Structures are given as structure tokens and as C-alpha cells.
């Protein structure tokens, strides 16, 4: 279909970036980027109509995303040149040919392309020695101003190096140091900085990525010493989390792993440090609320939770206001047997206990409606949690 559509629209299509890289590495790639020499949005819409797939277009970026029934996505990008008027700001996009489009890319291993149409179908483009770098396991930048133009590439370099078990090539590493010395990371907008930070938390080996970012001096550019902990993040490493599989694989517990890692990372953060961090990073409402909840709770209730005599109903009262991710963070970060027991009991058992008695039943008993209903129902639930009654 792509070939036929290219012919009728008079354009060329290339698969570029992660999918080509992962193909050579024999790794699975989730999504795919197709660069169109022509109008990527019109091309994607026509293809979507032919195949009956949903396509969303993003006018300002000249791109479109096609959703496949399998859940995978294909991004269609109008091939472009990018011009950076100001370091660290978003570039101006000018439609251009494939070669320009490959030059604007971050690393040699991400600048490989394969043509999908016409007489040159299957032609492989490797302008910057990307295939050799894949063999040598190297992350190499394409030009010396790259990190100054777009400092988010520093985070990307570390993510790829850790994910693929590659090394950041020497000259590239020295350019990262130069960009950091020029305060490039600090000049990113809070939105772009937060997205880069969250994309590190989305990686499987987050703790190792953070260690590398710390070694390079990136974290010191963003956070105050003592406001974050890489050690806590290590508790999300696969071998450690296996111990809690009963929680993470329980169908009744839904956990956003990125949010949980965010909470673990900021576990030592004080309220005033968090206020300063919020000036440089902007998270969505739920994420910010959860970090605040974790900090407040850690300061107010940790001593209470370490006591051994709390009844299930008391534990329920303490933990019920918290997000699941905050409870899991306390469980992992505190490393305290009693807290672990209380959290497990709440997550696996107490929070699922339901009352069958309702206000209607109280009305039938002739009790006059009012505040008393809440008090009675709360006490019945407490009695049920403490196994003083088994029904209701
Ligand atoms: P993955 O999605 O597995 O992390 P990917 O390579 O597909 O890897 P994307 O973030 O989806 O990563 O980006 C797609 C492609 O767009 C990259 O391969 C790269 O060529 C290019 N790209 C993305 N972000 C940048 C950037 N900040 N600077 C330059 N090129 C970029």
C-alpha cells in the first residue's frame, strides 16, 4: 500500500530511527517512524483511509500518528531540516529532503534509514557510520553543537547507552561535559526537562541511568544534594522486586511504575526542597499530589506505622487516604518489617473488604438519617476489619 500511495502522491517513504536500529540489533521495537519526502500528514491520512485505521495529525509539527489494531503506533514525519535560533529552545521546522532529515538526528545509530518505495525500495542509508557504531556499541553525536542545540539529547544518550549496554563515545562525552559547563540543561524549559526526566524513569534500568547522569553531573545541575536518592530506586531493580511479586502481579492492585519510581527517587526530599524542584520541573497534578502526600505522610505518620500493636482497622484508617503508589513507596523505601506487614495487609486484604449494609438498612431499622449514619457504617467496617464480625 505504501509503495502505491507514494507513486500516486509523488513522494518517497523511509523507515528511520529506532525501528532500523533495533532491527540490526535483533531487538523488538514497539513503535515505528516513517519519514515522508512530501507531506507526511496527508500521506498518513490517505493510508489511514485505505486501511481503515485511525490517524491523528499534529499540524505545527507536520506529523501524524497512525494507531494499529495491535496497539502499536506508526508516526509519519514530513522530512525536515531543523534550525535552532536559540540554544535549548524548540527548533524551527522547514520541510526538506531525506538527507537533511537524517542530519538533524541525535546519534549515528538513530540516523539509519531504509527506503520503502519505488525503484530504490530496500535501499539502506547510513550517512554517519551508524552501522559500525552499532557493531562497536557506541553512542556518537552527529555534530559538535548538538547538545547545546538540544540538551535533552544528554538524557537520550544515557538512556540508549544503558538500555543497549553501549558506551558513550569519548568525543561525545566531552561535548556533554562542555554543554553542562555552559549550563545547557538548566536552560531547558521545565516541560522539556520534566519530559526528559520522566523518560529516564520509563526505562527498565532507571537506577543505572540515574547513576550515569549523576556521574556526568547532570543531576547536580537540576537537584539539590540530598533531595533525591538513587539507592531507593535500586529497590525497583528486577531481582529485588521479585520478593513483592504477590503485590505487583495482584489483579486488585494497579500501580504506575513511573510514578512509583518518581516517589522512590524523591523519598528523602524535604517539603522546601520539593517547592524548589517544582520551580524547575513541572509534573501533572496526580504526580505532584503523590509526591506531596509521600513527603507529608513520611514526616507525620512513620513513627506510628512502626508500632506493632495497630489493629487492621487502625491501619486501614492510616493508609486509606493514600495512593497505591505512595503505599508501595513506603513499603519499599522504609525497609521495616512492621511497615511492610501493614502495607501488605492493607493492599492485599483490607482495602478490598466491602460492607453490605447500607443507609437503607439503617432507615429500615428506624434510625433517623444524619451524621450518625457515617459514624455507624464506619464502626461496622472497623469491626469487620478487626474480625469482630464476619458478615455485614
Ligand atoms: P525508543 O522509542 O525505543 O526510545 P526511538 O529511537 O524510536 O527509540 P524516539 O524518541 O521515538 O526514539 O525518536 C524517534 C527518532 O527521532 C530517533 O531515533 C531519532 O532519530 C529522532 N529523535 C528523537 N528525539 C530527538 C532529538 N531530541 N534530537 C534529534 N533526534 C531525535
Amino acid at each position: 500500500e505504501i509503495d502505491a500511495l507514494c507513486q500516486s502522491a509523488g513522494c518517497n517513504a523511509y523507515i528511520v530511527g529506532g525501528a532500523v536500529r533495533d532491527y540490526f540489533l535483533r531487538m523488538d521495537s514497539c513503535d515505528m517512524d516513517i519519514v515522508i519526502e512530501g507531506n507526511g500528514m496527508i500521506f498518513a491520512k490517505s493510508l489511514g483511509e485505505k486501511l481503515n485505521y485511525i490517524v491523528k495529525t499534529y499540524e505545527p509539527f507536520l506529523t501524524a500518528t497512525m494507531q494499529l489494531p495491535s496497539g502499536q503506533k506508526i508516526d509519519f514525519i514530513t522530512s525536515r531540516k531543523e534550525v535552532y535560533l536559540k540554544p535549548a529552545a524548540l527548533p524551527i521546522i522547514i520541510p526538506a529532503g531525506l538527507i537533511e532529515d537524517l542530519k538533524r538526528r541525535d546519534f549515528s545509530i538513530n540516523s539509519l534509514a531504509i527506503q520503502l518505495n519505488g525503484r530504490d525500495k530496500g535501499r539502506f542509508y547510513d550517512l554517519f557510520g551508524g552501522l559500525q557504531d552499532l557493531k562497536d556499541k557506541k553512542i556518537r553525536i552527529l555534530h559538535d553543537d548538538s547538545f547545546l542545540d538540544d540538551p535533552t539529547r544528554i538524557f537520550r544518550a544515557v538512556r540508549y547507552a544503558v538500555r543497549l549496554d553501549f558506551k558513550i563515545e569519548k568525543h561525545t562525552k566531552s561535548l556533554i561535559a562542555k554543554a553542562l559547563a555552559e549550563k545547557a540543561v538548566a536552560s531547558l524549559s521545565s516541560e522539556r526537562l520534566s519530559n526528559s526526566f520522566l523518560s529516564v524513569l520509563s526505562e527498565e534500568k532507571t537506577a543505572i541511568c540515574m547513576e550515569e547522569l549523576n556521574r556526568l553531573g547532570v543531576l547536580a545541575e537540576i537537584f539539590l544534594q540530598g533531595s533525591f536518592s538513587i539507592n531507593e530506586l535500586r529497590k525497583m531493580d528486577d531481582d529485588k522486586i521479585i520478593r513483592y511479586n504477590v503485590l505487583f502481579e495482584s489483579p486488585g492492585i494497579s500501580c504506575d511504575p513511573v510514578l512509583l519510581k518518581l516517589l522512590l527517587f524523591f523519598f528523602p526530599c524535604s517539603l522546601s526542597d520539593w517547592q524548589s524542584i517544582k520551580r524547575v520541573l513541572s509534573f501533572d497534578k496526580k504526580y505532584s499530589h503523590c509526591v506531596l502526600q509521600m513527603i507529608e505522610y513520611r514526616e507525620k505518620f512513620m513513627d506510628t506505622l512502626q508500632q506493632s500493636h495497630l489493629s487492621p482497622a487502625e491501619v486501614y484508617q492510616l493508609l486509606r487516604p493514600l495512593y497505591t503508589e505512595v503505599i508501595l513507596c513506603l513499603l519499599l523505601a522504609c525497609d521495616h518489617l512492621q511497615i511492610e506487614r501493614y502495607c501488605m495487609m492493607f493492599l492485599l486484604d483490607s482495602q478490598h473488604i466491602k460492607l453490605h449494609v447500607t443507609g437503607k438498612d439503617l432507615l429500615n431499622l428506624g434510625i433517623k438519617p444524619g451524621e450518625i449514619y457515617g459514624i455507624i457504617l464506619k464502626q461496622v467496617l472497623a469491626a469487620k476489619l478487626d474480625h469482630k464480625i464476619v458478615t455485614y
Side-chain angles (χ1 to χ4, degrees), residues 20-76:
V20 185
R21 176 198 69 218
D22 292 342
Y23 166 78
F24 283 112
L25 291 173
R26 296 191 172 80
M27 287 172 72
D28 286 335
S29 209
C30 296
D31 301 331
M32 195 182 276
D33 295 308
I34 294 184
V35 165
I36 303 294
E37 260 178 335
N39 188 318
M41 289 183 301
I42 296 177
F43 186 91
K45 269 199 221 156
S46 313
L47 191 64
E49 275 163 24
K50 274 197 172 181
L51 302 173
N52 214 7
Y53 291 160
I54 298 169
V55 171
K56 269 195 204 152
T57 54
Y58 305 93
E59 289 277 342
F61 302 106
L62 308 177
T63 61
T65 299
M66 180 185 281
Q67 193 69 54
L68 303 191
S70 62
Q72 281 180 307
K73 278 186 325 182
I74 303 183
D75 285 332
F76 289 86

Side-chain angles (χ1 to χ4, degrees), residues 180-195:
L180 286 169
E182 295 186 27
K183 302 274 172 245
V185 168
S187 58
L188 278 167
S189 70
S190 68
E191 194 190 350
R192 296 190 76 207
L193 188 56
S194 312
N195 286 340

Side-chain angles (χ1 to χ4, degrees), residues 342-354:
Y342 288 147
C343 292
M344 291 274 221
M345 175 174 74
F346 176 81
L347 290 171
L348 292 171
D349 186 28
S350 314
Q351 69 163 344
H352 305 293
I353 289 178
K354 296 270 175 300

Side-chain angles (χ1 to χ4, degrees), residues 99-116:
I99 304 303
E100 287 297 336
D101 194 282
L102 296 180
K103 284 188 194 163
R104 73 171 174 94
R105 302 214 163 233
D106 47 5
F107 309 112
S108 63
I109 59 164
N110 284 344
S111 67
L112 304 170
I114 297 171
Q115 188 156 350
L116 295 174

Side-chain angles (χ1 to χ4, degrees), residues 91 121 137 159 172 175 177 211 247 258 299 322 372 388:
K121 191 167 164 178
K137 296 177 154 250
R159 281 170 47 213
T172 303
L175 292 172
E211 272 161 25
L247 286 174
V258 172
E299 281 169 11
L322 304 186
I372 188 77
K388 291 188 182 134

